[in-house]
């Protein structure tokens, strides 16, 4: 049986080892050095060299610390992503039980080759894609590949079948787990030829792209570089034309150019993102990559998994139809509280309904699952259960759902076991598709059956009516039950038939059964997911569901969740029939993608991206990893997600909840809005400083501000106020606006115009303050002090204007951001100390202003927002 060692060695040489994933593309040093290729970073490094040359050591040290902080953060994020394929490789089974030379041996899974015969049993990790030769009640958990949590039954097929496509009942897949029974399989694919290997190949082919924020900051860096060169050249040229010393004017030009660089910007962006990450962590969102926080904010399409994200991933019995009546069960998922009603709302005593009681007893007997609670639930009345929290469940989720439904009717395992003692069991099998339990019930011996309706119903010759009487089954009545089962299936309910018979021994294939009922169960949509989908619609964010489930089931869930309004559903097979051009043209019509494979998910994400959408993709299994990595923002599930998906993702939801993701989108929008706010603030201030110095030189005035005073201005205005501005709360209408376009510039919406105009006002008011005090006959120190006060105070007033792009300074609550108020007070105190404390006056070349000089300085500072407010109207 199986191959000989010699045959296996020869095949191993030609096929290669049974491993997946590649080596890391970049070493740690290369990744770290790559962080310094950003234009803004290069400008800052150049500024550092010049600062050292000019003797401004403190300036140089500050800039270097900023650059290193950004480089370290970027390195950590990028290095972490390099482990994705390593995590994928770790899912390989380390050993396999394989027949070699007619003997069953345990060998390294990496040495398996095509044609090997292996043995599998419950608990094993499947080491290669195999065709099933023999199976005994074998079930495989393929959730890492398909995303569906229900174990799949496997049965023997053709020995020469080498097609390892997904969702085949006679194929077991590399990376899946054996959860029940035993199996013998023949290896048909190893390594990169397996379904897991193909996913690995997709991950390898996906490159990293810059986030929208990184692209915008790169554009800003280029603009700043050009401005610095123009300022330097203009000041140098103006000074030389006036007859100033060439070297002195070169140094002055360089000094002013350095003043134009918003060296606090990278640090402020990093701090704003880090603070957002901290806030999101409190909302159960773990961020792997810092810049992905902002990218979330411009999400225009959310591609969501169904199971566990939109739905609860907790099977729930919602109705049970006996021969005479329909009974409904409230309380979704594993919640303790719930009730049983006849029809939609008629209260019922289940114990008075003999057929219902017998059907629920059948479900309890035919269950190996267990449920428990910390607190004993209370029954308000028969047919109603009250309690806090959820049931703790172990075992098969379908069987647990039957136990919870029975508990709502006052029927528990312990109460059943007092009257019903199990004698034998015929386990559920993929071929028979039913389960039978033999037990003694008082003086009578019975068999209870649970299984597929199309298997058990034809074997029923009787049914139990509401009084507990056994009535002969007519052909017409059987058709009625079949139609009922079909109607329940059409509503995406999973239908199980329950039946019984009197029998002295375990005879599972015996006919003449008594029909008890049809149990309909579903994985219900999360209530918070419904609200999240509505919120996304308000924010003009399209939500689509991508699932490996059947189309009918997916459509039914989508309807309940509010996803299918005006949208259509399409399957993976139908996707295969569309070209990329056709898909790009029509993809906006679809909100449900069913029966999809990993390659389909990747194709869907790429199609949306080609249309200019910013795509957020959620996933938990290995099958989701390529699409998660390809998306603009990849989101992994923290509870059910595999390590592969978590490492491929930018963001991890710690509660697997779509509503949490939507809250993260709001935080992302807030972060980008805040970044625009402090970029507006910093650039306006820098333009004001540069204009003050440049116009002073052009007009032939004395130097308006000394280099040490410019350093003080940057220290006072660029630090705490900018950071506090980055902590502004989301504006009330932030989720009512459409997401910004992927090609939208950083200064869209007239931001650059506002920055330039405000910078000009700041510069002109500072010059006006300087010249006014100079005309009073004051000293040069007094004139510079007045100019310094005007420049700093006007900037500190401006920071409050930057809190909103749509409202004026006078229409906002000044105390809406107390951190900003505190930062401005600290900055004001530093300015006061520099002007009034004698020791500080020596350092900064300032003089205590007279009342007239102070009034002039503050008057010009206040004039700026007044003029700006009038112009904005």
């Amino acid at each position: 049986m199986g191959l000989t060692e010699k045959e296996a060695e020869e095949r191993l040489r030609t096929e290669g080892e049974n491993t997946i994933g590649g080596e890391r593309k970049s070493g740690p040093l290369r990744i770290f050095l790559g962080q310094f290729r950003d234009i803004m970073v290069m400008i800052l490094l150049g500024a550092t060299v010049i600062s050292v040359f000019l003797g401004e050591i403190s300036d140089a040290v500050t800039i270097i610390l900023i650059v290193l902080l950004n480089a370290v953060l970027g390195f950590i994020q990028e290095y972490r992503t390099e482990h994705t394929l390593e995590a994928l490789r770790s899912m390989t089974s380390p050993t396999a039980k394989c027949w070699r030379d007619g003997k069953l041996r345990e060998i390294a899974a990496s040495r398996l080759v095509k044609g090997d015969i292996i043995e599998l049993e419950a608990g094993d990790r499947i080491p290669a894609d195999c065709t099933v030769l023999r199976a005994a009640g074998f079930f495989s958990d393929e959730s890492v590949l398909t995303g569906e949590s229900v174990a799949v039954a496997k049965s023997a097929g053709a020995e020469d079948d080498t097609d390892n496509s997904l969702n085949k009942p006679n194929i077991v897949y590399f990376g899946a787990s054996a959860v029940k029974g035993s199996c013998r399989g023949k290896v048909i694919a190893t390594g990169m030829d397996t379904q897991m290997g193909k996913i690995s190949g997709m991950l390898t082919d996906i490159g990293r792209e810059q986030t929208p924020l990184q692209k915008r900051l790169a554009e800003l860096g280029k603009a700043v570089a050009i401005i610095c060169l123009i300022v330097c050249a203009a000041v140098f040229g103006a000074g030389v034309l006036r007859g100033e010393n060439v070297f002195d004017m070169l140094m002055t030009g360089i000094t002013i150019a350095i003043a134009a660089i918003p060296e606090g910007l990278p640090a402020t962006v990093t701090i704003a993102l880090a603070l957002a990450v901290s806030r999101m962590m409190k909302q159960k969102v773990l961020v792997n990559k810092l810049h992905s926080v902002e990218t979330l904010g411009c999400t225009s399409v959310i591609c969501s998994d169904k199971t566990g994200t939109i739905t609860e991933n907790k099977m729930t019995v919602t109705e049970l139809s006996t021969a005479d009546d329909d009974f409904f069960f409230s309380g979704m998922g594993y919640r303790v509280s719930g009730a049983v009603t006849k029809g939609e709302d008629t209260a019922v005593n289940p114990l008075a309904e003999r057929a219902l009681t017998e059907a629920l007893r059948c479900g309890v007997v035919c269950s190996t699952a267990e449920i428990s609670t910390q607190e004993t639930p209370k029954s308000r009345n028969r047919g109603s259960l009250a309690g806090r929290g959820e049931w703790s469940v172990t075992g098969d989720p379908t069987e647990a759902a039957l136990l919870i439904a029975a508990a709502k009717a006052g029927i528990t395992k312990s109460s059943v076991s007092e009257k019903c003692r199990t004698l034998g069991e015929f386990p559920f099998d993929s071929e028979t598709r039913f389960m039978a339990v033999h037990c003694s019930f008082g003086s009578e011996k019975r068999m209870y059956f649970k299984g597929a309706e199309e298997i058990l119903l034809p074997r029923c010759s009787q049914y139990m009516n509401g009084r507990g009487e056994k009535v002969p089954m007519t052909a017409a009545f059987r058709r009625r039950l079949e139609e009922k089962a079909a109607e329940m299936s059409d509503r995406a309910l999973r239908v199980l038939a329950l039946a019984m018979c009197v029998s002295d021994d375990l005879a599972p294939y015996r006919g003449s059964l008594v029909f008890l009922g049809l149990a309909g169960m579903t994985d219900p949509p999360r209530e918070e997911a419904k609200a999240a989908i509505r919120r996304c619609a308000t924010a003009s964010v399209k939500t689509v569901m991508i699932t490996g489930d059947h189309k009918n089931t997916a459509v039914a869930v989508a309807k309940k969740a509010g996803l299918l309004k005006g949208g259509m559903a399409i399957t993976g097979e139908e996707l295969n029939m569309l070209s990329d051009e056709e898909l790009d043209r029509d993809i906006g019509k679809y909100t449900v993608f069913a029966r999809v494979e990993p390659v389909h998910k990747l194709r869907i994400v790429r199609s949306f991206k080609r249309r200019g959408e910013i795509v957020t993709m959620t996933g938990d299994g290995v099958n989701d990893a390529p699409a998660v990595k390809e998306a603009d923002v990849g989101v992994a599930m923290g509870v059910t997600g595999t390590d592969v998906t978590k490492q491929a993702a930018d963001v991890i939801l710690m509660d697997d909840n779509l509503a949490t993701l939507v809250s993260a989108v709001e935080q992302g929008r807030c972060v980008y809005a805040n970044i625009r706010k402090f970029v507006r603030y910093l650039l306006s201030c820098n333009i004001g400083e540069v204009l003050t110095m440049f116009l002073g030189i052009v007009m032939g005035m004395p130097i308006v501000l000394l280099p040490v005073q410019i350093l003080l201005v940057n220290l006072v205005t660029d630090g705490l106020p900018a950071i506090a501005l980055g902590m502004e709360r989301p504006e009330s209408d932030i989720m009512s606006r459409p997401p910004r376009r992927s090609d939208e510039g950083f200064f869209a919406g007239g931001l650059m115009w506002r920055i330039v105009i405000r910078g000009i006002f700041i510069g002109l008011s500072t010059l006006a303050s300087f010249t006014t005090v100079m005309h009073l006959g004051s000293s040069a120190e007094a004139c510079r002090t007045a100019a310094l006060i005007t420049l700093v105070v006007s900037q500190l007033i401006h920071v409050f204007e930057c809190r909103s792009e749509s409202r004026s300074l006078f229409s906002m609550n000044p105390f809406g951001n107390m951190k900003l108020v505190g930062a401005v007070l600290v900055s004001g105190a530093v300015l006061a100390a520099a002007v009034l404390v004698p020791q500080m006056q020596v350092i900064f070349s300032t003089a205590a202003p007279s009342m007239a000089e102070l009034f002039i300085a503050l008057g010009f500072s206040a004039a700026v927002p007044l003029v700006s407010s009038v112009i904005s109207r």
Side-chain angles (χ1 to χ4, degrees), residues 112-164:
L112 283 176
V113 295
K114 293 177 186 176
D116 267 328
I117 306 296
I118 64 170
E119 300 287 344
L120 298 167
E121 57 186 22
D124 288 345
R125 177 83 71 179
I126 297 169
D129 287 4
C130 306
T131 184
V132 177
L133 303 178
R134 186 183 69 194
F138 188 75
F139 283 77
S140 171
D141 178 2
E142 298 174 358
S143 58
V144 295
L145 288 169
T146 64
E148 296 308 308
S149 56
V150 178
V152 180
K154 297 295 179 179
S155 57
E159 185 175 342
D160 58 353
D161 187 358
T162 58
D163 177 13
N164 65 334

Side-chain angles (χ1 to χ4, degrees), residues 289-526:
K289 299 174 187 175
L290 207 57
H291 279 80
S292 60
V293 174
E294 177 275 333
T295 312
L296 270 170
C298 50
T299 295
S300 57
V301 175
I302 294 177
C303 299
S304 176
D305 190 23
K306 175 182 76 71
T307 306
T309 308
I310 292 178
T311 65
E312 296 195 6
N313 195 21
K314 297 170 182 175
M315 293 301 292
T316 307
V317 174
T318 56
E319 59 187 89
L320 196 154
S321 292
T322 62
D324 294 342
D325 297 294
D326 294 331
F327 297 91
F328 294 88
F329 296 78
S330 64
M332 288 295 161
Y334 295 161
R335 295 178 184 84
V336 169
S337 60
V340 187
T341 57
K342 183 185 288 189
E344 292 293 344
D345 53 9
T346 304
V348 65
N349 175 6
L351 299 182
E353 302 288 342
R354 297 287 301 278
L356 172 65
T357 301
E358 199 63 32
L360 291 172
R361 182 184 291 123
C362 174
V364 171
V365 171
C366 295
S367 174
T368 57
E370 297 287 342
I371 61 172
S372 61
T373 56
Q374 292 183 341
E375 297 181 13
T376 303
K378 299 177 181 178
S379 179
R380 294 195 187 99
N381 50 60
R382 290 174 178 173
S384 177
L385 201 63
R388 291 181 298 179
E390 296 189 341
W391 293 98
S392 176
V393 171
T394 56
D396 183 83
T398 299
E399 295 182 350
L402 289 169
L403 290 181
I404 292 171
K408 293 171 184 175
I411 301 170
T412 63
K413 249 191 174 182
S414 58
S415 66
V416 169
S417 61
E418 291 175 2
K419 300 178 180 178
C420 187
R421 183 168 59 89
T422 300
L423 302 175
E425 178 183 317
F426 179 78
F428 186 91
D429 184 86
S430 58
E431 294 182 2
T432 61
R433 299 176 64 200
F434 71 87
M435 174 186 189
V437 176
H438 190 225
C439 59
S440 61
F441 193 84
S443 59
E444 187 177 74
K445 291 182 179 179
R446 299 177 180 177
M447 274 200 304
Y448 285 102
F449 293 79
K450 175 195 74 179
E453 164 268 329
E454 60 267 32
I455 300 297
L456 293 184
L457 200 55
R459 293 169 57 185
C460 293
S461 59
Q462 296 175 294
Y463 64 88
M464 183 175 288
N465 64 17
R467 295 186 297 276
E469 300 167 344
K470 297 173 185 177
V471 181
M473 177 85 72
T474 64
F477 196 84
R478 192 188 307 278
R479 280 196 302 273
R480 177 184 145 193
L481 293 176
E482 290 170 349
E483 289 169 0
K484 179 64 179 178
E487 184 265 330
M488 292 170 73
S489 295
D490 288 342
R491 288 189 281 118
L493 293 177
R494 185 181 180 191
V495 182
L496 284 179
L498 303 168
M500 63 159 289
C501 70
V502 176
S503 176
D504 289 332
D505 53 15
L506 181 62
Y509 295 104
R510 177 175 172 173
S512 302
L513 305 183
V514 179
F515 171 80
L516 299 177
L518 296 170
M521 57 187 69
T522 186
D523 182 7
R526 291 173 178 257

